[in-house]
Amino acid sequence: MIETVRDLLDNYWVLTPVKVLAVLAIFLTFPLVVGYMEHKVMAHMQARLGPMEAGRFHGVLQLVADGIKFVQKESIIPRAADKWVFALAPAVALIPAILVFGFIPYGPNLVPIPSDVGLFVTLALSSVSVIGVLMAAWSSANKYSLMGGIRAAAQLIAYELPLVLAAAAVAMQAGSADLAVIVERQGWWGYIVGPLVVGFFVYGTAALAELTRPPFDMPVADSELVFGHLTEYTGLRFAFFLLTEYAGIVSQSAIAATLFLGGWKGPFLDGPWWLAAKVLLLSFGVIWARSTYPRLREDQLQSFAWIRLVPLSLALLLVVGFLKVYEVGV
Amino acid sequence: MPALKGVGLIKGLGVTLKTMTRPAATRQYPHVRPNLPARTRGVIALIEENCTVCMLCSRECPDWCIYIDSHKEQVAPKEGGRARTRNLLDRFAIDFALCMYCGICVEVCPFDALHWSPEFEYAEHQVERLTHEMDTLRKWAYTVPAPDPLEVGAVEPKELESARKAREAAAAKAAAAAEQARTAAAPAPAAPAPAASPAVGTAPVPGAGGAAPAPPVAAAPAAARPADVEVEPGIDQATYDRLLAAGEPDRTARAKAKAAYMRRAKAEARAAQAAGGAGAAPAPAPPAPGSVETPAAAVAAPETTPAAPSAAGTPEAAEAAPDAREPEARSPEGEPTAAGTAVDVAPGAAVAQADAEHLEIEVDQETYDRLIAAGEPERTARAKAKAAYARKLRAAQRGGGSGGLKPSPPEGEAS
């Protein structure tokens, strides 16, 4: 029986839809779980209860209810907007966010799209989302949207550098850019035990900024820019942007877990559950930072990236290179 | 300056994490009732039987959100007295859309008709529906918590004091009478004669007179209370005229005339009793049975009847009996008119009748009798009895049956 299923799955035309469905299932569940977690964790950190009604038990279906609400909303396109670009922008932001999930190693030999440059593909894909943001900002014909989009682009450029440098340090340590290989070269404790803990810090901070999550959410600073590039969006398109944001949290957490925390490896039984646990833990960290820190000023954000993080990650790369060459602690 | 840069960032994380592990401040209100103080000022309730339509609340209200309608009624003249007027409350409404909950009306009410109720869930979808009428205000009054007990050593309130004194006097008298009954020979109907010794002036209030506890010796219930003469209240016209002519104010003159009448009437009654008490004629000035002035007398009467079931022998019982029967006899035709709106009684009706109907319809008689017997002031007893009645009525409605409802007005209520 198992043999038959395995033979069937060897067929490309059977395996591919299965993979697509699996990735879509992950894409549609985990961001909702993280979104619900954000509601509840942030509420409790503010001595509130958060959603309590939808779904009877502690508001578990709150995000489903939100989704139904968004579907019902009127989809408004401003008269002066560049209609095609405006309509396309959410898709441009959303699709790369889905694709990232295809390159994550979920377990031993469990990579939907095996690639020997998986690390760079995922980083590149997660940066494409900002194109969607820029499209939305420009096509909205709204000064707040445009300012928000430009901030998002500037932020991406500033933080992409330390992000890639930190990831490069990991790739150098592992000797490969294949995410599956990177996981296999780590112990279950991951690269975080060692000098790469600095890399983890740099990567985490830069990822927060790339996701425009608080305290780095200047592109959507409501006191200055209404809601940045999302100002003119309503209904389902707005929901897609929100979904992109939460999918981004999950995918960035997954990449960080893969690079620094040992991916699917764990102390007892290796498997996808370890990755899921680590993703949720890192997502909790993202939410924790959001409910703790106030928003940075735009210039502080830029100087923090260029003056602190970039030199730090360059130094890290240097140190990891030296250790690698002289084979210390490998 | 902190010892290490960035320590504040870690501390901040600690604060949020600590807050997360602690219980939230949120109250799940519609699911969990708020734990409010007992005397929460939620809404203003009205005890309408305390209201004398003095209009003080309405006039003091800064928002003018209290609406009062009333009409005057002629009180049937006393024997020898003049017709009096009194106010009957037709409408008492508070517009809670205007009310700012200052509580001045509650403060200013001289008759404790207005109270703060802790009820607070009376939101409405339309502003007009926030004007609540007498029936709603009355229902809220049942949620008003009872007053706190007095502090140790506090001065006893006047009405409680008078009630207590009356009770004590009655008890002492009953004890004395029982003593006499024991010492006196059994076949002596003349035995009551010495009982005239209690001074006429100290005779207890008619209401409290019936409240005497049942005499310990059940064998001679009639002989047990010889001094307890019940007389119809009235006015001594001669005294009244004389005093008025002498320049006394009307109120004083009336009071003194009444006192004089009562003294005379009681003396006559006792004389008749002493003269053999055949009981055929309730000799002392039998007034028209309908002209009972205080409802207390009418209510106190039923209690005396069970004490002397074979009452035909004593003039006291003979006298009490018609009064006791009176309201019940009248009730059948009285109910339907008064059932819906007790205030809308035909304006010409005699007050006595209105009173009787009032009691018959709205008051739980058992509770009333019990409370009067316990020495409560008449007004308190009536209010509590009314509350008890309303409780029973509600319980009956909730239970689906009208069981446990003694004066059975639901039929009238429903129509």
Side-chain angles (χ1 to χ4, degrees):
Chain A
M1 180 65 192
I2 294 169
E3 285 299 313
T4 332
V5 172
R6 192 164 288 169
D7 286 347
L8 192 63
L9 282 179
D10 276 344
N11 186 335
Y12 175 83
W13 300 107
V14 175
L15 187 60
T16 306
V18 169
K19 281 177 176 176
V20 168
L21 286 180
V23 168
L24 271 181
I26 292 167
F27 171 76
L28 288 178
T29 49
F30 266 76
L32 290 189
V33 170
V34 170
Y36 175 68
M37 189 164 88
E38 174 160 45
H39 277 324
K40 295 304 272 188
V41 167
M42 207 160 73
H44 281 278
M45 283 183 171
Q46 294 163 351
R48 297 183 289 117
L49 286 176
M52 289 296 284
E53 302 293 332
R56 303 247 165 186
F57 180 75
H58 287 258
V60 283
L61 294 184
Q62 182 62 45
L63 287 183
V64 177
D66 283 349
I68 292 168
K69 182 196 75 177
F70 279 130
V71 170
Q72 293 170 340
K73 293 271 178 180
E74 184 186 3
S75 190
I76 300 169
I77 300 181
R79 203 182 306 139
D82 195 337
K83 292 188 179 52
W84 282 103
V85 182
F86 187 85
L88 208 59
V92 172
L94 187 65
I95 289 171
I98 301 176
L99 284 178
V100 172
F101 286 93
F103 294 90
I104 308 286
Y106 294 100
N109 297 320
L110 205 60
V111 190
I113 311 173
S115 164
D116 53 359
V117 287
L119 175 60
F120 293 109
V121 173
T122 50
L123 291 183
L125 281 174
S126 59
S127 310
V128 169
S129 288
V130 86
I131 305 284
V133 171
L134 267 179
M135 284 167 68
W138 180 259
S139 65
S140 290
N142 179 317
K143 59 189 170 189
Y144 298 119
S145 297
L146 188 57
M147 285 299 297
I150 289 171
R151 280 190 185 186
Q155 193 165 319
L156 182 93
I157 293 167
Y159 281 89
E160 191 71 8
L161 210 52
L163 187 87
V164 170
L165 288 174
V170 174
M172 186 187 283
Q173 176 76 34
S176 169
D178 189 337
L179 287 174
V181 176
I182 290 174
V183 173
E184 262 153 36
R185 300 257 163 96
Q186 298 178 57
W188 65 261
W189 52 89
Y191 281 143
I192 197 165
V193 182
L196 276 172
V197 68
V198 179
F200 180 68
F201 166 74
V202 171
Y203 188 93
T205 313
L208 266 188
E210 264 213 44
L211 294 167
T212 66
R213 291 286 301 175
F216 304 110
D217 58 343
M218 276 66 71
V220 291
D222 49 339
S223 55
E224 305 156 29
L225 299 178
V226 189
F227 205 7
H229 62 279
L230 295 169
T231 305
E232 297 290 355
Y233 278 90
T234 56
L236 214 48
R237 292 197 178 91
F238 179 76
F240 281 153
F241 270 117
L242 281 193
L243 190 57
T244 307
E245 178 176 339
Y246 287 101
I249 297 174
V250 176
S251 60
Q252 285 291 2
S253 301
I255 297 170
T258 303
L259 293 183
F260 297 97
L261 301 180
W264 43 262
K265 283 189 178 173
F268 301 112
L269 193 59
D270 292 348
W273 40 87
W274 279 111
L275 185 66
K278 287 165 186 175
V279 164
L280 289 181
L281 189 74
L282 289 176
S283 304
F284 175 81
V286 171
I287 297 160
W288 193 5
R290 175 180 177 182
S291 48
T292 303
Y293 297 130
R295 183 181 298 133
L296 265 72
R297 220 168 51 210
E298 183 63 25
D299 62 313
Q300 291 170 334
L301 173 98
Q302 291 293 337
S303 62
F304 182 64
W306 293 107
I307 297 175
R308 302 282 161 83
L309 286 186
V310 172
L312 190 62
S313 50
L314 281 173
L316 175 72
L317 202 59
L318 208 61
V319 168
V320 172
F322 267 113
L323 295 178
K324 189 76 182 168
V325 168
Y326 293 102
E327 295 186 350
V328 179
V330 176
Chain B
M1 188 179 161
L4 192 66
K5 246 186 165 180
V7 170
L9 295 177
I10 309 295
K11 276 186 185 167
L13 288 174
V15 169
T16 42
L17 196 66
K18 208 159 56 184
T19 311
M20 190 181 75
T21 55
R22 286 184 182 156
T26 311
R27 300 284 159 85
Q28 297 276 82
Y29 159 57
H31 306 302
V32 181
R33 300 276 306 174
N35 189 14
L36 296 172
R39 299 215 173 264
T40 297
R41 299 183 166 194
V43 76
I44 292 164
L46 170 76
I47 300 178
E48 65 186 65
E49 47 278 52
N50 282 4
C51 180
T52 62
V53 202
C54 70
M55 306 291 281
L56 280 180
C57 50
S58 180
R59 275 189 280 175
E60 290 296 324
C61 177
D63 291 341
W64 284 42
C65 67
I66 302 179
Y67 309 111
I68 299 177
D69 282 344
S70 69
H71 67 269
K72 286 192 190 300
E73 271 199 355
Q74 292 279 324
V75 178
K78 286 275 174 303
E79 204 180 334
R82 296 187 312 173
R84 291 185 300 164
T85 58
R86 72 167 192 181
N87 287 317
L88 280 185
L89 191 59
D90 290 331
R91 176 178 188 230
F92 192 107
I94 300 180
D95 187 350
F96 285 103
L98 289 179
C99 178
M100 61 182 193
Y101 300 89
C102 62
I104 289 177
C105 52
V106 178
E107 293 287 321
V108 87
C109 180
F111 301 105
D112 285 351
L114 289 171
H115 293 272
W116 278 112
S117 154
E119 195 63 40
F120 65 96
E121 290 171 311
Y122 51 96
E124 294 286 352
H125 288 287
Q126 280 120 32
V127 175
E128 314 89 71
R129 301 190 61 186
L130 279 171
T131 304
H132 284 293
E133 299 290 337
M134 211 147 55
D135 49 347
T136 322
L137 299 178
R138 185 65 185 90
K139 268 177 217 148
W140 281 331
Y142 299 126
T143 64
V144 175
D148 286 334
L150 292 173
E151 286 176 16
V152 178
V155 179
E156 195 175 17
K158 217 188 226 169
E159 64 268 28
L160 292 187
E161 188 189 3
S162 61
R164 180 178 53 78
K165 280 187 177 159
R167 202 164 53 229
E168 283 168 6
K173 214 188 316 164
E179 188 66 25
Q180 281 170 1
R182 207 174 298 128
T183 51
S197 54
V200 182
T202 61
V205 212
V217 188
R225 46 173 86 195
D228 204 356
V229 197
E230 293 271 342
V231 199
E232 282 310 316
I235 277 191
D236 187 41
Q237 193 64 43
T239 318
Y240 182 76
D241 292 344
R242 182 170 51 75
L243 286 170
L244 267 193
E248 295 267 7
D250 169 74
R251 173 171 282 178
T252 322
R254 190 126 40 112
K256 287 190 175 172
K258 193 171 177 179
Y261 172 83
M262 295 300 275
R263 267 198 300 277
R264 191 161 46 85
K266 287 199 176 174
E268 279 172 18
R270 255 177 230 108
Q273 219 170 26
S291 69
V292 190
E293 214 274 317
T294 54
V299 179
E303 211 196 44
T304 58
T305 32
S310 59
T314 61
E316 162 209 350
E319 199 175 61
D323 294 338
R325 241 176 281 116
E326 189 54 38
E328 282 157 14
R330 204 185 289 130
S331 59
E333 81 268 14
E335 255 168 29
T337 52
T341 50
V343 238
D344 289 348
V345 189
V351 178
Q353 187 171 353
D355 256 341
E357 277 165 5
H358 205 62
L359 284 177
E360 188 59 28
I361 287 155
E362 305 256 9
V363 170
D364 186 47
Q365 195 65 40
E366 278 176 33
T367 316
Y368 184 85
D369 294 344
R370 182 169 50 74
L371 287 170
I372 287 289
E376 296 267 8
E378 198 272 335
R379 174 170 279 178
T380 320
R382 182 141 35 121
K384 286 190 177 172
K386 208 165 175 184
Y389 173 82
R391 266 198 301 277
K392 269 190 195 171
L393 188 64
R394 252 178 296 158
Q397 279 167 353
R398 214 175 299 127
S402 60
L405 255 186
K406 214 175 162 192
S408 70
E411 303 91 62
E413 209 101 330
S415 63

